[in-house]
């Protein structure tokens, strides 16, 4: 009878230890799962940020090309005005002195 009691206590202790080990493993798995979820969410957020930045870069490049084109047109227009105006014509100082 005494050996059955001891055996029963040992079994309960083993069972308790196994349950504790299983709880610890489950808790560890839960922590790992939460960490993975956090990292996945962070990666997704960074991907969205990268997409937004890429779109912004494309928009800025497009605007830059548009402005360069407008500057060329304006530059040509100013050149044409200057060449048509007598104020900007080169003068020959020798011929005026005569």
């Amino acid at each position: 009878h005494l050996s059955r009691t001891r055996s029963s206590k040992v079994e309960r202790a083993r069972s308790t230890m196994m349950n504790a080990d299983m709880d610890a493993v489950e808790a560890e798995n839960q922590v790992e799962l939460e960490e993975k979820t956090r990292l996945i969410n962070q990666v997704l957020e960074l991907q969205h940020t990268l997409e937004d930045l890429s779109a912004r870069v494309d928009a800025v490049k497009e605007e830059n090309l548009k402005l360069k084109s407008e500057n060329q047109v304006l530059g040509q227009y100013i050149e044409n005005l200057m060449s048509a105006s007598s104020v900007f014509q080169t003068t020959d100082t020798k011929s005026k002195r005569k």
Side-chain angles (χ1 to χ4, degrees):
H1 184 267
L2 185 60
S3 68
R4 269 194 252 156
T5 306
R6 282 187 192 168
S7 174
S8 171
K9 285 182 181 179
V10 168
E11 286 300 316
R12 274 188 259 135
R14 282 186 188 154
S15 177
T16 302
M17 286 174 43
M18 284 177 53
N19 286 341
D21 287 346
M22 290 173 71
D23 288 345
V25 168
E26 190 174 314
E28 187 176 319
N29 287 343
Q30 182 65 28
V31 168
E32 286 180 11
L33 181 62
E34 289 172 359
E35 179 67 11
K36 285 179 184 177
T37 301
R38 187 186 68 77
L39 289 173
I40 288 170
N41 288 334
Q42 188 176 12
V43 166
L44 290 173
E45 185 180 331
L46 289 171
Q47 283 178 335
H48 292 306
T49 301
L50 180 59
E51 289 170 359
D52 293 343
L53 288 172
S54 293
R56 178 72 179 127
V57 165
D58 290 342
V60 168
K61 282 181 180 179
E62 189 176 316
E63 182 69 16
N64 188 36
L65 288 174
K66 181 181 168 188
L67 291 173
K68 278 184 180 180
S69 175
E70 289 176 2
N71 282 344
Q72 286 177 340
V73 169
L74 288 173
Q76 187 63 47
Y77 178 72
I78 290 169
E79 255 183 62
N80 291 342
L81 285 176
M82 289 173 59
S83 65
S85 171
S86 61
V87 173
F88 295 104
Q89 296 296 322
T90 57
T91 58
D92 188 356
T93 55
K94 291 180 183 175
S95 63
K96 284 190 173 183
R97 287 184 184 169
K98 288 183 179 179

